[in-house]
Amino acid sequence: MSTTTQAPETTRTGLLLRVLPVGMYAGRSRALVERSFLVNRRTWLQVVSGFFEPLFFLFGLGFGFGKLIGDVVGPGGETISYVAYVAPALLAASAMNGAVYDATFNLFFKLKYAKLYDAVLATPLGPLDIAIGEITWALIRGALYGTGFLTVMLGMGLLTSPWAVFALPAAILIAFAFGALGMACTTFMRSWHDFDLVQLALVPMFLFSTTFYPITVYPGAVQFAVKCFPLYHAIEVMRALCTGYVDASIVGHLAYFVVMALVGVVVASRRLGKLLLA
Amino acid sequence: MTTTTRERARVCPTPTAVWLVVEGLWTWYRRNWRSSAVSSVVEPVLFLLALGLGFGSQIQPSAATGGLPYVQYLAPALVVASALQTAAFESTYPVLAAFKWNRTFLGIASTPITSRQLAMGQLLWIFLRLSVSSAAFLVVAALLGAVTSVGVIGSLFAALLTAMALAAPLVAYSASLDTEGQQFSAIFRFIVVPMTVFAGTFFPVDQLPAWVRPIVWLTPLWHGTELSRASAFGTGELLPVLGHLVYLTALVVIGARLAVRTFTRRLEV
Amino acid sequence: MRPAIVPDVVAETAVRDGGLVRARGLTKQFGDFEAVRGIDLDVEPGEAFGFLGPNGAGKSSTMRMVSCVSPRTGGDLTVLGMDPRTQGPDIRARLGVVPQQDNLDNELTVRQNLHIYGRYFGLSKAHVRAKAVELLDFAQLTDRADAEVEPLSGGMKRRLTIARSLINDPELLLLDEPTTGLDPQARHLLWDRLFRLRQQGVTLIITTHYMDEAEQLCDRLVVMDGGKIVAEGSPGELIARYCSREVLELRFVTDKPDAAAAEGLADRIEVLPDRLLLYTSDGEASLAAAHQRGLAPASSLVRRGTLEDVFLRLTGRTLVD
């Protein structure tokens, strides 16, 4: 698990170093991760509670919606239970939510009020260390939640294919991409009022990206719009891996997130550099 | 340029004082309405669209939905659930902020307004704000064809009563906190979200395992949802309705008394 | 030209017991901690009264009791002839309070802050509107009237807080460390505004850490330490009583200051790690005498005795927190 996450990251930094001006990266983002760890040790309740939210949804949907709706058609055209249909989508959605909230609300607070990064930048660390450090912490947390959720799915017999071992790395990639993009957006925000826009992006995406029902419910034009949402692709990846109906299209979905992550990291660290070193 | 009007400051009677607190909160809100319009009207409408119409298209009307299309089954409960969520938010961060971060309530404590009037004003403000957003949601729901009868006006009442049954104790709790509000995310995750998922908004409670149901019966949301559907579908029976009303009213009264107490303790030390 | 910020209420105030504020044996306890341990106070109409004292001396607790937001634990207290316990709102209607930390509504405009606050005092919208214009001018904030408070400088916020405290034409203005954290320009502007208020007959009660501020502003002051009043009087009286007209400072670089050699040269001698302080009525004469005795300081300084000397003598040189 750790190799899959770290390998792409080092190659990515190599590439980024050529794109970004010098002085932005000291290779010490680990210090930021350690700091986050220390802080979160004190607010462990908040960390632990994040694990339960998707579980509540899973049980609620399983017991409630599942009984209303009965069985549904899975990604391979087979009949599966509603819980098995909705669980991978919830995993994808919680990867998105966790990463975005961390990269927006928390980052904004530290940037604007706690003035944390002003102190960090007085040390050899650069903006890219901050960007990578914060995203890494968000990913570690996301990985913990993902592991917990997958364990519950396994216990409920919802993981039916060996492909499911790739669900966690995929969730981490998805979270990374959302986190990087969220971070980039945060650097453009001026006040708390702009955060309704974050809500306004997340809530419809959560509700309409085939999380709860198949895309065939929508008329053609809407279907096209939904397919543009990143969460739609995340859900496609998760459903395929959890049920084992994997085909070539998964490469396209994953590529979507690699591009999204790259754009996010480049924009975020450039903007952070401008904001903090100005 | 001397002031022409010469007025003396005075101590207002309680109803006026409470209203002045509302006026102050409204002045703030007028500048910041956008975010709350998004979270308290737009989001519930999106839920109604996605779950009521989208998800609902997969559900056949059955006994579980009272024989109604799912969207019509959902709407009267959703107004209660979203009023409750808005209430939960309005009773936490803004209250703590007014004590701790902006300290505006500490400023008010130096005026003739008493802590008690301030607490009542805060609660009245939440009530008025919820009235508007819940009514707006119901209008949109009606336009989407999700409303079955004028009984839905009773749903509005149920939504407000339920929301205040949570808001009053929560305002009291928020006023007693001296932290950065970490407890709030636990409250949202362990109380508000599970309540929304399990307390009968989206599916009948009897689909849950028997041991969960007594916990559900303790939640204000379940009582509110029962009241709201009873009114919207005209299926109310006297005794259960009375029971729900009494339970929710008791929570409001106890919560309001606690709020007065925590406000006083916080401000008059 | 200058508007009368304060109406002629001071004269009509029925202050029977002598004094706008009167305290006898006033105490305040927080759990086991006794913040104020039995103090007596009399503040007369029209005077500027100061509280000096190190952190934790009980100044703010006393201020909060006088401003009727904090109930007293024991003793007697009357403000404007009324008892805060039973008539808090009536007293607060006639007070202006400038707290230690600003509690402005940062998300509203400067003008809105004044409006809302005035409304809490039961004033009509029309009156508050007119009054706000007057106060904005007073606080030199007219050109920022419709700007949000958040980005304003510390000095501007402080001025706005003071303007806000005047919205109800208070008879008594309570200022808790009004100039802490401000730059010299902002401090002097604030002092100027407080002088004007005094000229208009407003009674001021001020707490401060700055001795120059106390000397500038206060007719009379008390020094508090450990919850008690340890000295009381006008700045001049306090200096005469606890210090001396002049202070001779002898600074040593290599050798340790030798107190014994200076014995008898002044009324009182204080030994610090790098210098001797000689409290004397004539600094130059004491310096000449010191040279005669063969004392060879690296440098010397003769200065006036100040409230700071009084303060340090009464409350000690060690850090309190």
Side-chain angles (χ1 to χ4, degrees):
Chain A
M1 169 196 116
S2 56
T3 44
T4 26
T5 51
Q6 270 170 8
E9 212 171 284
T10 38
T11 51
R12 208 168 293 135
T13 22
L15 175 80
L16 278 166
L17 280 177
R18 269 170 277 143
V19 181
L20 294 163
V22 279
M24 295 194 70
Y25 186 55
R28 295 194 194 169
S29 39
R30 241 188 45 182
L32 256 288
V33 179
E34 271 170 42
R35 183 204 166 267
S36 300
F37 177 71
L38 286 175
V39 171
N40 279 276
R41 234 184 9 190
R42 294 198 304 142
T43 56
W44 60 272
L45 181 66
Q46 209 171 358
V47 179
V48 172
S49 66
F51 165 71
F52 286 92
E53 192 163 318
L55 280 192
F56 286 135
F57 276 104
L58 185 63
F59 289 130
L61 293 167
F63 283 118
F65 280 12
K67 284 191 185 161
L68 288 177
I69 206 165
D71 288 347
V72 292
V73 181
E78 80 291 8
T79 301
I80 57 172
S81 73
Y82 186 69
V83 188
Y85 179 81
V86 89
L90 287 177
L91 179 58
S94 81
M96 169 184 84
N97 280 328
V100 171
Y101 282 121
D102 231 34
T104 54
F105 289 86
N106 289 350
L107 181 76
F108 187 75
F109 180 77
K110 290 182 202 161
L111 209 54
K112 187 121 184 165
Y113 293 95
K115 305 275 179 214
L116 171 70
Y117 302 128
D118 293 344
V120 171
L121 287 177
T123 73
L125 274 72
L128 191 60
D129 294 282
I130 293 180
I132 293 181
E134 291 293 354
I135 294 180
T136 307
W137 170 249
L139 291 185
I140 292 174
R141 232 169 71 165
L144 288 176
Y145 292 164
T147 311
F149 193 85
L150 283 164
T151 312
V152 173
M153 281 179 73
L154 189 68
M156 292 171 75
L158 298 176
L159 299 178
T160 49
S161 145
W163 280 102
V165 295
F166 294 108
L168 187 63
I172 292 170
L173 172 66
I174 290 164
F176 183 86
F178 272 111
L181 198 66
M183 205 165 179
C185 293
T186 305
T187 61
F188 289 96
M189 295 192 179
R190 289 147 306 169
S191 79
W192 289 113
H193 306 313
D194 291 333
F195 281 97
D196 352 319
L197 301 175
V198 176
Q199 282 294 97
L200 215 46
L202 287 191
V203 172
M205 205 149 39
F206 172 62
L207 289 171
F208 296 106
S209 299
T210 73
T211 318
F212 302 103
Y213 46 85
I215 195 158
T216 48
V217 166
Y218 300 120
V222 182
Q223 282 193 20
F224 178 77
V226 167
K227 282 179 181 171
C228 295
F229 291 163
L231 186 60
Y232 167 77
H233 298 277
I235 291 174
E236 286 295 296
V237 169
M238 287 303 167
R239 264 196 195 125
L241 292 175
C242 290
T243 55
Y245 288 87
V246 179
D247 58 26
S249 70
I250 197 167
V251 179
H253 297 310
L254 289 173
Y256 187 109
F257 290 104
V258 172
V259 173
M260 188 167 145
L262 277 174
V263 171
V265 170
V266 171
V267 174
S269 39
R270 279 189 168 233
R271 286 279 310 168
L272 272 180
K274 243 183 217 158
L275 284 178
L276 293 168
L277 297 175
Chain B
M1 59 149 248
T2 24
T3 328
T4 39
T5 48
R6 168 108 328 147
E7 245 182 70
R8 294 285 292 274
R10 64 196 170 91
V11 180
C12 296
T14 290
T16 319
V18 169
W19 187 251
L20 287 173
V21 174
V22 171
E23 191 183 298
L25 291 163
W26 159 244
T27 310
W28 179 87
Y29 185 77
R30 233 173 23 184
R31 291 173 65 84
N32 302 285
W33 59 273
R34 197 185 68 184
S35 60
S36 58
V38 167
S39 61
S40 59
V41 181
V42 177
E43 280 181 22
V45 168
L46 291 174
F47 266 86
L48 191 66
L49 284 173
L51 297 178
L53 292 173
F55 177 77
S57 69
Q58 309 289 297
I59 295 174
Q60 296 302 314
S62 68
T65 64
L68 290 164
Y70 187 69
V71 66
Q72 293 179 357
Y73 168 79
L74 184 62
L78 200 53
V79 69
V80 184
S82 41
L84 184 97
Q85 291 209 323
T86 308
F89 183 81
E90 290 289 325
S91 321
T92 48
Y93 291 104
V95 176
L96 184 59
F99 278 111
K100 194 182 157 85
W101 299 316
N102 294 328
R103 294 191 301 277
T104 42
F105 282 177
L106 277 61
I108 298 179
S110 298
T111 72
I113 308 276
T114 63
S115 317
R116 181 193 166 78
Q117 291 161 347
L118 183 57
M120 299 314 281
Q122 173 71 50
L123 288 175
L124 178 62
W125 161 249
I126 294 176
F127 176 82
L128 293 172
R129 190 186 150 337
L130 289 173
S131 312
V132 175
S133 59
S134 300
F137 170 77
L138 283 175
V139 170
V140 179
L143 294 176
L144 290 171
V147 168
T148 46
S149 78
V150 289
V152 84
I153 290 165
S155 298
L156 178 61
F157 174 75
L160 295 174
L161 184 62
T162 311
M164 292 315 289
L166 180 74
L170 210 46
V171 164
Y173 177 67
S174 304
S176 74
L177 284 181
D178 207 22
T179 60
E180 296 295 324
Q182 299 93 337
Q183 288 89 339
F184 294 151
S185 40
I187 288 178
F188 290 127
R189 281 168 171 162
F190 290 118
I191 298 178
V192 180
V193 169
M195 226 196 284
T196 316
V197 174
F198 295 108
T201 308
F202 298 104
F203 53 86
V205 172
D206 50 27
Q207 293 188 358
L208 291 170
W211 63 270
V212 183
R213 282 175 233 161
I215 305 174
V216 171
W217 295 333
L218 286 177
T219 65
L221 185 54
W222 177 73
H223 294 275
T225 306
E226 290 291 302
L227 268 181
S228 178
R229 287 215 172 97
S231 171
F233 306 148
T235 52
E237 286 168 54
L238 184 64
L239 271 181
V241 165
L242 268 181
H244 298 314
L245 285 173
V246 167
Y247 184 78
L248 293 172
T249 310
L251 282 177
V252 175
V253 172
I254 294 168
R257 294 186 74 106
L258 284 174
V260 168
R261 194 194 291 181
T262 53
F263 269 58
T264 309
R265 276 205 193 143
R266 180 88 179 229
L267 295 172
E268 300 172 21
V269 286
Chain C
M1 277 303 287
R2 177 65 31 205
I5 296 287
V6 170
D8 37 3
V9 279
V10 176
E12 47 180 283
T13 306
V15 191
R16 268 161 261 108
D17 303 328
L20 276 186
V21 179
R22 182 188 146 92
R24 291 292 175 268
L26 183 63
T27 61
K28 178 74 196 182
Q29 232 168 321
F30 298 102
D32 288 336
F33 174 65
E34 243 187 330
V36 179
R37 309 202 283 178
I39 61 170
D40 295 348
L41 281 179
D42 287 286
V43 180
E44 305 300 331
E47 76 174 332
F49 187 90
F51 280 101
L52 292 183
N55 286 336
K59 296 172 301 201
S60 291
S61 300
T62 308
M63 287 292 259
R64 286 172 47 80
M65 285 191 278
V66 174
S67 53
C68 305
V69 290
S70 168
R72 63 182 183 268
T73 310
D76 288 327
L77 177 65
T78 55
V79 182
L80 301 164
M82 291 179 276
D83 183 348
R85 231 172 232 168
T86 51
Q87 290 172 286
D90 297 276
I91 301 173
R92 290 200 296 268
R94 291 158 61 186
L95 295 186
V97 176
V98 177
Q100 209 175 92
Q101 285 178 293
D102 289 320
N103 50 34
L104 299 163
D105 199 324
N106 284 319
E107 289 171 272
L108 297 184
T109 66
V110 169
R111 195 192 301 275
Q112 281 175 323
N113 264 281
L114 294 174
H115 278 192
I116 293 184
Y117 211 70
R119 296 284 291 150
Y120 294 139
F121 286 89
L123 298 165
S124 72
K125 283 183 181 162
H127 177 79
V128 169
R129 214 172 294 137
K131 189 78 197 170
V133 172
E134 193 182 298
L135 289 172
L136 285 169
D137 179 49
F138 174 78
Q140 290 192 13
L141 286 168
T142 306
D143 51 339
R144 304 302 290 267
D146 297 305
E148 241 182 58
V149 170
E150 171 82 51
L152 297 186
S153 72
M156 289 178 173
K157 286 186 188 171
R158 217 59 193 137
R159 260 144 52 206
L160 176 56
T161 305
I162 293 181
R164 192 184 68 171
S165 71
L166 297 171
I167 194 88
N168 58 327
D169 294 312
E171 295 153 58
L172 172 61
L173 186 59
L174 299 151
L175 304 115
D176 200 353
E177 296 187 17
T179 63
T180 298
L182 299 186
D183 62 24
Q185 284 81 1
R187 285 177 76 198
H188 281 272
L189 181 63
L190 266 182
W191 287 349
D192 169 69
R193 291 303 184 260
L194 294 177
F195 276 128
R196 287 194 198 175
L197 289 171
R198 272 193 56 198
Q199 281 167 354
Q200 290 156 14
V202 183
T203 310
L204 304 178
I205 300 184
I206 301 162
T207 75
T208 181
H209 281 310
Y210 301 117
M211 301 304 138
D212 53 339
E213 182 162 286
E215 281 195 72
Q216 287 259 358
L217 290 176
C218 300
D219 306 313
R220 209 152 60 81
L221 39 91
V222 292
V223 180
M224 285 189 80
D225 193 27
K228 288 189 166 152
I229 290 177
V230 291
E232 180 177 355
S234 70
E237 283 167 15
L238 288 173
I239 292 169
R241 201 179 319 150
Y242 296 99
C243 188
S244 51
R245 207 171 64 81
E246 291 190 335
V247 180
L248 169 62
E249 295 199 9
L250 300 176
R251 205 173 281 267
F252 297 86
V253 179
T254 42
D255 12 312
K256 284 223 158 196
D258 182 5
E263 196 71 51
L265 289 179
D267 313 335
R268 188 165 65 88
I269 298 176
E270 199 174 349
V271 189
L272 300 183
D274 65 330
R275 62 203 148 122
L276 294 175
L277 298 185
L278 283 73
Y279 297 92
T280 168
S281 52
D282 186 345
E284 292 297 341
S286 300
L287 179 60
H291 282 308
Q292 265 179 356
R293 284 202 193 176
L295 275 170
S299 64
S300 61
L301 166 76
V302 176
R303 59 173 177 80
R304 212 166 60 84
T306 63
L307 267 185
E308 189 128 349
D309 298 311
V310 174
F311 185 85
L312 289 172
R313 174 160 186 204
L314 289 170
T315 62
R317 282 188 186 268
T318 33
L319 275 180
V320 259
D321 58 357

